Amino acid sequence: MSVTLPANIIAALDRYVSTQDQGISREDALISALRDWAMQNGLLQSGMNGDKGLRPDQLNATNDD
């Protein structure tokens, strides 16, 4: 997906990036902002990152198929 952002949004992303200790990219900052927005609006639940199945700590003999 390719999106052209208005200059004021790019400036806001750059300000956010400059406040981060690890120096994240604009892309990572935008993904983080969209993820937070989606979660706050009930469109995305915590842990919905596209992975399917059980986490390693959930595996045991009862679900060993």
PDB file of all heavy atoms in Angstrom, residues 18-36:
ATOM      1  N   SER A  18      11.596  11.676  16.752  1.00  0.00           N
ATOM      2  CA  SER A  18      12.713  12.330  17.444  1.00  0.00           C
ATOM      3  C   SER A  18      12.637  12.167  18.959  1.00  0.00           C
ATOM      4  O   SER A  18      13.643  12.340  19.647  1.00  0.00           O
ATOM      5  CB  SER A  18      12.776  13.816  17.071  1.00  0.00           C
ATOM      6  OG  SER A  18      11.705  14.521  17.669  1.00  0.00           O
ATOM      7  N   THR A  19      11.474  11.813  19.497  1.00  0.00           N
ATOM      8  CA  THR A  19      11.345  11.624  20.943  1.00  0.00           C
ATOM      9  C   THR A  19      11.641  10.197  21.382  1.00  0.00           C
ATOM     10  O   THR A  19      11.709   9.928  22.578  1.00  0.00           O
ATOM     11  CB  THR A  19       9.920  11.984  21.428  1.00  0.00           C
ATOM     12  OG1 THR A  19       8.990  11.044  20.873  1.00  0.00           O
ATOM     13  CG2 THR A  19       9.538  13.399  21.037  1.00  0.00           C
ATOM     14  N   GLN A  20      11.803   9.296  20.418  1.00  0.00           N
ATOM     15  CA  GLN A  20      12.020   7.895  20.744  1.00  0.00           C
ATOM     16  C   GLN A  20      13.509   7.605  20.924  1.00  0.00           C
ATOM     17  O   GLN A  20      14.333   8.015  20.108  1.00  0.00           O
ATOM     18  CB  GLN A  20      11.441   6.991  19.648  1.00  0.00           C
ATOM     19  CG  GLN A  20       9.959   7.179  19.424  1.00  0.00           C
ATOM     20  CD  GLN A  20       9.163   7.017  20.712  1.00  0.00           C
ATOM     21  OE1 GLN A  20       9.162   5.961  21.315  1.00  0.00           O
ATOM     22  NE2 GLN A  20       8.505   8.081  21.134  1.00  0.00           N
ATOM     23  N   ASP A  21      13.831   6.896  21.986  1.00  0.00           N
ATOM     24  CA  ASP A  21      15.227   6.571  22.287  1.00  0.00           C
ATOM     25  C   ASP A  21      15.879   5.711  21.208  1.00  0.00           C
ATOM     26  O   ASP A  21      17.048   5.868  20.915  1.00  0.00           O
ATOM     27  CB  ASP A  21      15.329   5.839  23.629  1.00  0.00           C
ATOM     28  CG  ASP A  21      14.983   6.726  24.805  1.00  0.00           C
ATOM     29  OD1 ASP A  21      15.117   7.959  24.678  1.00  0.00           O
ATOM     30  OD2 ASP A  21      14.578   6.191  25.846  1.00  0.00           O
ATOM     31  N   GLN A  22      15.130   4.783  20.640  1.00  0.00           N
ATOM     32  CA  GLN A  22      15.709   3.863  19.666  1.00  0.00           C
ATOM     33  C   GLN A  22      15.673   4.398  18.237  1.00  0.00           C
ATOM     34  O   GLN A  22      16.084   3.720  17.320  1.00  0.00           O
ATOM     35  CB  GLN A  22      14.992   2.513  19.733  1.00  0.00           C
ATOM     36  CG  GLN A  22      15.304   1.778  21.004  1.00  0.00           C
ATOM     37  CD  GLN A  22      14.054   1.389  21.773  1.00  0.00           C
ATOM     38  OE1 GLN A  22      12.961   1.809  21.414  1.00  0.00           O
ATOM     39  NE2 GLN A  22      14.205   0.627  22.822  1.00  0.00           N
ATOM     40  N   GLY A  23      15.156   5.575  18.036  1.00  0.00           N
ATOM     41  CA  GLY A  23      15.126   6.158  16.702  1.00  0.00           C
ATOM     42  C   GLY A  23      14.367   5.312  15.699  1.00  0.00           C
ATOM     43  O   GLY A  23      14.933   4.837  14.729  1.00  0.00           O
ATOM     44  N   ILE A  24      13.071   5.134  15.927  1.00  0.00           N
ATOM     45  CA  ILE A  24      12.254   4.330  15.014  1.00  0.00           C
ATOM     46  C   ILE A  24      12.051   5.070  13.692  1.00  0.00           C
ATOM     47  O   ILE A  24      12.217   6.284  13.607  1.00  0.00           O
ATOM     48  CB  ILE A  24      10.896   3.957  15.646  1.00  0.00           C
ATOM     49  CG1 ILE A  24      10.043   5.196  15.900  1.00  0.00           C
ATOM     50  CG2 ILE A  24      11.091   3.141  16.909  1.00  0.00           C
ATOM     51  CD1 ILE A  24       8.625   4.877  16.362  1.00  0.00           C
ATOM     52  N   SER A  25      11.671   4.333  12.679  1.00  0.00           N
ATOM     53  CA  SER A  25      11.445   4.928  11.363  1.00  0.00           C
ATOM     54  C   SER A  25      10.063   5.585  11.297  1.00  0.00           C
ATOM     55  O   SER A  25       9.202   5.334  12.136  1.00  0.00           O
ATOM     56  CB  SER A  25      11.541   3.845  10.277  1.00  0.00           C
ATOM     57  OG  SER A  25      10.459   2.936  10.405  1.00  0.00           O
ATOM     58  N   ARG A  26       9.865   6.395  10.291  1.00  0.00           N
ATOM     59  CA  ARG A  26       8.537   6.982  10.051  1.00  0.00           C
ATOM     60  C   ARG A  26       7.506   5.878   9.876  1.00  0.00           C
ATOM     61  O   ARG A  26       6.393   5.961  10.387  1.00  0.00           O
ATOM     62  CB  ARG A  26       8.540   7.836   8.785  1.00  0.00           C
ATOM     63  CG  ARG A  26       9.070   9.217   8.938  1.00  0.00           C
ATOM     64  CD  ARG A  26       8.971   9.919   7.599  1.00  0.00           C
ATOM     65  NE  ARG A  26       9.444  11.277   7.685  1.00  0.00           N
ATOM     66  CZ  ARG A  26       9.710  12.029   6.633  1.00  0.00           C
ATOM     67  NH1 ARG A  26       9.547  11.537   5.412  1.00  0.00           N
ATOM     68  NH2 ARG A  26      10.129  13.264   6.778  1.00  0.00           N
ATOM     69  N   GLU A  27       7.874   4.848   9.118  1.00  0.00           N
ATOM     70  CA  GLU A  27       6.949   3.736   8.872  1.00  0.00           C
ATOM     71  C   GLU A  27       6.544   3.071  10.188  1.00  0.00           C
ATOM     72  O   GLU A  27       5.359   2.820  10.423  1.00  0.00           O
ATOM     73  CB  GLU A  27       7.597   2.716   7.941  1.00  0.00           C
ATOM     74  CG  GLU A  27       6.693   1.542   7.626  1.00  0.00           C
ATOM     75  CD  GLU A  27       7.374   0.535   6.719  1.00  0.00           C
ATOM     76  OE1 GLU A  27       8.354  -0.099   7.182  1.00  0.00           O
ATOM     77  OE2 GLU A  27       6.915   0.380   5.579  1.00  0.00           O
ATOM     78  N   ASP A  28       7.520   2.795  11.057  1.00  0.00           N
ATOM     79  CA  ASP A  28       7.213   2.174  12.345  1.00  0.00           C
ATOM     80  C   ASP A  28       6.355   3.086  13.217  1.00  0.00           C
ATOM     81  O   ASP A  28       5.455   2.624  13.912  1.00  0.00           O
ATOM     82  CB  ASP A  28       8.488   1.802  13.090  1.00  0.00           C
ATOM     83  CG  ASP A  28       9.208   0.619  12.458  1.00  0.00           C
ATOM     84  OD1 ASP A  28       8.567  -0.140  11.699  1.00  0.00           O
ATOM     85  OD2 ASP A  28      10.416   0.465  12.719  1.00  0.00           O
ATOM     86  N   ALA A  29       6.623   4.386  13.178  1.00  0.00           N
ATOM     87  CA  ALA A  29       5.828   5.343  13.952  1.00  0.00           C
ATOM     88  C   ALA A  29       4.389   5.365  13.451  1.00  0.00           C
ATOM     89  O   ALA A  29       3.444   5.389  14.249  1.00  0.00           O
ATOM     90  CB  ALA A  29       6.444   6.738  13.859  1.00  0.00           C
ATOM     91  N   LEU A  30       4.208   5.322  12.155  1.00  0.00           N
ATOM     92  CA  LEU A  30       2.864   5.330  11.572  1.00  0.00           C
ATOM     93  C   LEU A  30       2.118   4.046  11.909  1.00  0.00           C
ATOM     94  O   LEU A  30       0.942   4.082  12.283  1.00  0.00           O
ATOM     95  CB  LEU A  30       2.944   5.531  10.064  1.00  0.00           C
ATOM     96  CG  LEU A  30       1.631   5.706   9.325  1.00  0.00           C
ATOM     97  CD1 LEU A  30       0.823   6.858   9.903  1.00  0.00           C
ATOM     98  CD2 LEU A  30       1.884   5.947   7.855  1.00  0.00           C
ATOM     99  N   ILE A  31       2.792   2.918  11.816  1.00  0.00           N
ATOM    100  CA  ILE A  31       2.169   1.636  12.176  1.00  0.00           C
ATOM    101  C   ILE A  31       1.757   1.647  13.641  1.00  0.00           C
ATOM    102  O   ILE A  31       0.656   1.215  13.992  1.00  0.00           O
ATOM    103  CB  ILE A  31       3.113   0.466  11.858  1.00  0.00           C
ATOM    104  CG1 ILE A  31       3.243   0.303  10.345  1.00  0.00           C
ATOM    105  CG2 ILE A  31       2.638  -0.826  12.519  1.00  0.00           C
ATOM    106  CD1 ILE A  31       4.355  -0.629   9.910  1.00  0.00           C
ATOM    107  N   SER A  32       2.624   2.150  14.500  1.00  0.00           N
ATOM    108  CA  SER A  32       2.313   2.230  15.927  1.00  0.00           C
ATOM    109  C   SER A  32       1.088   3.102  16.173  1.00  0.00           C
ATOM    110  O   SER A  32       0.196   2.740  16.949  1.00  0.00           O
ATOM    111  CB  SER A  32       3.524   2.780  16.683  1.00  0.00           C
ATOM    112  OG  SER A  32       3.245   2.930  18.039  1.00  0.00           O
ATOM    113  N   ALA A  33       1.023   4.240  15.504  1.00  0.00           N
ATOM    114  CA  ALA A  33      -0.111   5.148  15.667  1.00  0.00           C
ATOM    115  C   ALA A  33      -1.412   4.500  15.175  1.00  0.00           C
ATOM    116  O   ALA A  33      -2.447   4.596  15.839  1.00  0.00           O
ATOM    117  CB  ALA A  33       0.149   6.453  14.920  1.00  0.00           C
ATOM    118  N   LEU A  34      -1.361   3.834  14.036  1.00  0.00           N
ATOM    119  CA  LEU A  34      -2.556   3.172  13.506  1.00  0.00           C
ATOM    120  C   LEU A  34      -2.999   2.022  14.406  1.00  0.00           C
ATOM    121  O   LEU A  34      -4.193   1.825  14.638  1.00  0.00           O
ATOM    122  CB  LEU A  34      -2.305   2.659  12.092  1.00  0.00           C
ATOM    123  CG  LEU A  34      -2.294   3.726  11.007  1.00  0.00           C
ATOM    124  CD1 LEU A  34      -1.816   3.134   9.686  1.00  0.00           C
ATOM    125  CD2 LEU A  34      -3.670   4.345  10.845  1.00  0.00           C
ATOM    126  N   ARG A  35      -2.029   1.269  14.935  1.00  0.00           N
ATOM    127  CA  ARG A  35      -2.357   0.174  15.838  1.00  0.00           C
ATOM    128  C   ARG A  35      -3.042   0.710  17.099  1.00  0.00           C
ATOM    129  O   ARG A  35      -4.072   0.194  17.535  1.00  0.00           O
ATOM    130  CB  ARG A  35      -1.097  -0.600  16.212  1.00  0.00           C
ATOM    131  CG  ARG A  35      -1.380  -1.810  17.099  1.00  0.00           C
ATOM    132  CD  ARG A  35      -0.120  -2.580  17.451  1.00  0.00           C
ATOM    133  NE  ARG A  35       0.458  -3.187  16.249  1.00  0.00           N
ATOM    134  CZ  ARG A  35       1.656  -2.864  15.737  1.00  0.00           C
ATOM    135  NH1 ARG A  35       2.415  -1.972  16.327  1.00  0.00           N
ATOM    136  NH2 ARG A  35       2.089  -3.462  14.648  1.00  0.00           N
ATOM    137  N   ASP A  36      -2.470   1.772  17.684  1.00  0.00           N
ATOM    138  CA  ASP A  36      -3.068   2.377  18.881  1.00  0.00           C
ATOM    139  C   ASP A  36      -4.479   2.883  18.607  1.00  0.00           C
ATOM    140  O   ASP A  36      -5.398   2.663  19.393  1.00  0.00           O
ATOM    141  CB  ASP A  36      -2.198   3.524  19.404  1.00  0.00           C
ATOM    142  CG  ASP A  36      -0.892   3.060  20.014  1.00  0.00           C
ATOM    143  OD1 ASP A  36      -0.731   1.829  20.242  1.00  0.00           O
ATOM    144  OD2 ASP A  36      -0.024   3.923  20.259  1.00  0.00           O
TER     145      ASP A  36
END
